């Protein structure tokens, strides 16, 4: 029997009383911990615990495949992934799964859309920041910033045009031997979107998934077909108010980028993980931004994009797109959102 890898499966049952003909509706939730180095949560309605377990396993299995393909740190038997591509930079093309080709092509489009503010070819720069951040977290007393000259040298190897994709042969080649891919700004949201499509193709039409806060709502909830309620996290971890807003959504994604999760402190100042490609330093415009649109991959990319823009630039950029809303949380706690954002607020 296939091993069940879901670490925690929580069940609650809601029995509806809307009409004498309505059958019992069961609300189930599942949670697993390790994929994309974050917590994934699923909520859905099913006739039985067994049926929901099949659904949860479908989500897990497919998300695990995307996790392994897009992993830049670890190797997996029989899989050529992002790490394999990086390891072969300047050496040879690597034959890869179509799902990697699709992500990289999508990422090139995002690079153009964001005017370079989301660049998956920045791995050499981001790796330096990652190493200094990890050292700073593990040894706070000796935490320091990476030298700018080191970052500038690494930035010479971030030309996305040196990412060579051969769709006919399904190969990827980095022509600069010092170049590294880092798909962290896109991969989680992109994978969430693809897995939700797989679930829909398998007949699941009403569920909610959160992959490390990348929220995707499909259909509606319960026998009354209500909208899904999702909260926007307050970036101030010391506040008693855990959510800034609660939205009611269907067939939409909510993704936030912020400075309050992956960071370390140097001389009393916090340095987070979202690096501005222009300055090579963590962006300081906002504490967090949130984006709401249909596609989770796009929402993920857009949240990073506008986090790396001034408010005036970001607002104009978001307003140039169709069916996209955004919320900006400034360093002083001020909140500004797009024109139709209020339409999504829970009444």
């Amino acid at each position: 029997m296939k091993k069940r890898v879901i670490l925690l499966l929580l069940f609650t049952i809601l029995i509806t009383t809307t009409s004498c003909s309505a059958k019992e509706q069961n609300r189930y939730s599942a949670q697993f911990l390790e994929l994309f180095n974050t917590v994934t949560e699923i909520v859905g309605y099913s006739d039985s615990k067994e049926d929901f377990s099949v659904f949860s396993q479908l989500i897990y299995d497919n998300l695990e495949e995307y996790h392994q393909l897009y992993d830049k740190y670890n190797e997996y038997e029989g899989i050529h992934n992002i790490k394999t591509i990086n390891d072969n930079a300047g050496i040879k093309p690597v034959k890869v799964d179509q799902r990697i080709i699709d992500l990289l092509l999508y990422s090139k489009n995002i690079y153009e859309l964001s005017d370079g503010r989301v660049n998956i070819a920045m791995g050499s720069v981001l790796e330096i920041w990652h190493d200094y951040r990890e050292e700073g977290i593990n040894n706070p007393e000796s935490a320091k910033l990476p030298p700018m000259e080191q970052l500038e040298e690494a930035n010479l190897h971030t030309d996305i045009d040196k990412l060579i994709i051969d769709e006919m042969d399904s190969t990827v080649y980095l022509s600069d031997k010092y170049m590294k891919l880092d798909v962290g700004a896109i991969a989680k949201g992109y994978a969430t979107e693809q897995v939700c499509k797989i679930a829909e193709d398998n007949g699941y039409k009403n569920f909610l998934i959160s992959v490390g806060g990348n929220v995707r709502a499909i259909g509606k909830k319960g026998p009354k077909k209500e909208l899904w309620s999702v909260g926007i996290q307050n970036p101030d971890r010391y506040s008693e108010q855990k959510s800034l807003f609660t939205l009611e959504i269907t067939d939409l994604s909510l993704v936030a980028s912020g400075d309050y999760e992956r960071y370390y402190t140097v001389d009393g100042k916090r340095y987070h993980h979202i690096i501005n490609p222009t300055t090579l330093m963590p962006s300081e415009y906002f504490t967090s931004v949130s984006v709401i649109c249909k596609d989770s991959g796009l929402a993920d990319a857009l949240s990073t994009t506008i986090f790396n823009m001034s408010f005036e630039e970001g607002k104009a950029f978001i307003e140039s797109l169709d069916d996209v809303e955004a919320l900006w949380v400034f360093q002083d706690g001020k909140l500004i959102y797009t024109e139709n954002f209020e339409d999504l607020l829970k009444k």
Side-chain angles (χ1 to χ4, degrees), residues 85 88-90 92-96 100-101 104-105 108 120-121 159-176 179 181:
I85 297 169
N88 285 277
K92 64 180 180 180
V94 176
K95 194 169 185 64
V96 296
I100 290 181
I101 299 286
L104 298 184
L105 290 173
K108 282 202 166 191
I120 63 167
D159 183 355
I160 199 168
D161 289 334
K162 293 184 179 179
L163 164 59
I164 312 301
I165 302 170
D166 188 329
E167 293 184 72
M168 291 294 293
D169 289 339
S170 293
T171 62
V172 177
Y173 177 56
L174 305 182
S175 61
D176 179 347
M179 182 176 169
L181 298 180

Side-chain angles (χ1 to χ4, degrees), residues 118-276:
V118 177
N119 181 8
I120 63 167
M122 275 194 67
S124 55
V125 172
L126 299 180
E127 185 175 84
I128 294 170
W129 273 107
H130 174 270
D131 291 344
Y132 273 80
R133 185 169 62 249
E134 289 298 301
E135 178 63 23
I137 292 171
N138 294 329
N139 299 289
E141 68 285 349
S142 60
K144 56 186 178 180
L145 298 179
M148 181 52 67
E149 56 268 25
Q150 185 181 5
L151 296 173
E152 290 174 343
E153 172 61 31
N155 195 44
L156 298 176
H157 309 286
T158 60
D159 183 355
I160 199 168
D161 289 334
K162 293 184 179 179
L163 164 59
I164 312 301
I165 302 170
D166 188 329
E167 293 184 72
M168 291 294 293
D169 289 339
S170 293
T171 62
V172 177
Y173 177 56
L174 305 182
S175 61
D176 179 347
K177 68 178 181 178
Y178 298 111
M179 182 176 169
K180 294 180 184 294
L181 298 180
D182 185 320
V183 296
I186 298 178
K188 188 167 58 174
Y190 182 87
T192 299
E193 186 68 24
Q194 303 313 306
V195 169
C196 286
K197 289 177 180 177
I198 291 169
E200 289 188 283
D201 290 343
N202 279 270
Y204 299 101
K205 303 299 182 186
N206 300 284
F207 57 91
L208 183 78
I209 293 182
S210 172
V211 183
N214 286 44
V215 178
R216 182 68 162 99
I218 304 293
K220 297 182 179 179
K221 65 176 183 180
K224 294 182 180 179
K225 301 301 180 187
E226 298 172 303
L227 299 176
W228 294 100
S229 296
V230 298
I232 295 180
Q233 182 175 322
N234 188 345
D236 182 358
R237 295 296 183 85
Y238 299 101
S239 173
E240 294 183 1
Q241 181 185 354
K242 299 305 180 184
S243 297
L244 296 177
F245 298 100
T246 299
L247 309 182
E248 289 187 317
I249 62 175
T250 179
D251 296 324
L252 287 174
S253 297
L254 165 65
V255 177
S257 291
D259 66 2
Y260 49 87
E261 298 229 337
R262 284 181 283 164
Y263 65 88
Y264 73 119
T265 303
V266 180
D267 296 330
K269 183 174 179 178
R270 187 164 65 183
Y271 293 87
H272 59 82
H273 72 291
I274 306 174
I275 306 304
N276 189 318

Side-chain angles (χ1 to χ4, degrees), residues 10 16 19 36 99 109-110 121 162 222 238 242 271 299 305 331 344:
L10 307 173
T16 65
S19 71
F36 286 95
R99 287 168 289 185
N109 290 334
I110 291 297
K162 293 184 179 179
Y238 299 101
K242 299 305 180 184
Y271 293 87
T305 300
Q331 299 285 348
L344 300 171

